[in-house]
Amino acid sequence: MPRGTLSAYLREARSLPPEDVIRLALDVARGMEYLHARGVVHRDIKPDNLLLDGEGRVKVADLGTSCLEATCSDKKWCSSKTAPGTYRWMAPEMIRDKRCSRKMDVYSFGLVLWGLTTCVVPFPDLEPVQVAYAVGNENARPPLSTSCPQAINSLIERCWSVKPSTRPEFSRIVSELENYDRCLREGLPLVPPPTPPSPSLLTSLLGAFKIQSCKTSVGNRRVHP
């Protein structure tokens, strides 16, 4: 690509305004949305595998480690011993040799988005194996940028959630970033979307509703002589 990797671009930039962060992140998210819609898991999303064209648009590259989710969902194909990847951007469930899915790409995207807000690599003071231990065993994450809009930091945290099931799909990420892009162009503040209730909370509320409904039904029941 004419302008090289996103990694080299960030080293030269040192810092990016929110407009550029969102623009570049959108390119990556749209590319990943395309892959995931076709059942492809990349498995090694990182700035070195993201290339910039002559217009400064990001293209997702290096699909040599990718697989179909239906194939690589088996643990033996998705363990860190058999599947390539890079520890600094690798999801904890992959480090721990747990069953993997497309949500590992969402985790890696969260680290890429974090890198766009900081222009540094995750855990720069640690060796790769130390990063693997910190992320896989201690749930470590790099510190969020204090100068970054809270809405973007919120998206980063949701993407790198320790629970794969709570990480957003790329379709949701694209929609959210498009909204932020529109807000910036219109001079509006960036507001993160409301947090949906957890499944356990929904279950509790539903249970309470059923109990209350049952009590109401019993209380209103007529007793015939």
Side-chain angles (χ1 to χ4, degrees):
M1 281 286 183
R3 299 181 64 174
T5 66
L6 181 61
S7 179
Y9 178 81
L10 293 177
R11 283 196 301 270
E12 294 179 6
R14 296 183 179 273
S15 66
L16 296 175
E19 294 83 358
D20 287 351
V21 170
I22 292 174
R23 174 179 59 82
L24 296 170
L26 254 176
D27 286 345
V28 180
R30 285 168 176 157
M32 291 308 304
E33 181 185 25
Y34 179 88
L35 291 178
H36 281 194
R38 285 151 183 79
V40 177
V41 182
H42 189 286
R43 299 200 294 180
D44 197 18
I45 294 296
K46 60 182 179 180
D48 281 340
N49 290 338
L50 301 170
L51 306 180
L52 280 82
D53 64 15
E55 298 179 351
R57 308 312 300 259
V58 181
K59 307 296 182 182
V60 178
D62 193 358
L63 296 176
T65 64
S66 65
C67 66
L68 292 175
E69 186 173 22
T71 302
C72 72
S73 60
D74 191 317
K75 179 180 175 181
K76 70 179 182 179
W77 294 110
C78 212
S79 74
S80 56
K81 295 182 178 66
T82 59
T86 308
Y87 281 140
R88 295 188 192 279
W89 292 270
M90 188 181 292
E93 65 270 18
M94 189 171 183
I95 293 173
R96 294 193 299 262
D97 296 339
K98 298 292 180 66
R99 189 176 298 276
C100 63
S101 70
R102 64 186 180 278
K103 291 300 184 75
M104 68 169 55
D105 285 343
V106 178
Y107 175 93
S108 299
F109 172 81
L111 269 296
V112 169
L113 180 55
W114 175 87
L116 291 173
T117 68
T118 61
C119 291
V120 297
V121 299
F123 309 105
D125 298 327
L126 299 181
E127 294 296 324
V129 68
Q130 293 175 310
V131 174
Y133 182 86
V135 172
N137 295 281
E138 300 176 349
N139 196 30
R141 302 290 187 273
L144 295 168
S145 170
T146 56
S147 61
C148 178
Q150 177 55 36
I152 298 178
N153 278 340
S154 173
L155 177 57
I156 292 171
E157 290 183 309
R158 280 177 279 131
C159 287
W160 70 26
S161 170
V162 68
K163 295 182 178 180
S165 61
T166 63
R167 299 171 196 161
E169 298 286 353
F170 273 108
S171 56
R172 173 68 181 269
I173 294 171
V174 168
S175 177
E176 191 169 327
L177 289 172
E178 286 177 342
N179 180 57
Y180 294 158
D181 180 58
R182 182 169 55 254
C183 287
L184 286 176
R185 286 187 281 106
E186 296 177 0
L188 300 174
L190 305 187
V191 180
T195 303
S198 65
S200 59
L201 177 59
L202 287 175
T203 301
S204 299
L205 291 174
L206 182 58
F209 175 77
K210 287 182 177 179
I211 293 173
Q212 184 62 36
S213 298
C214 180
K215 289 181 178 179
T216 302
S217 298
V218 172
N220 293 335
R221 183 181 301 164
R222 292 185 178 181
V223 179
H224 297 280

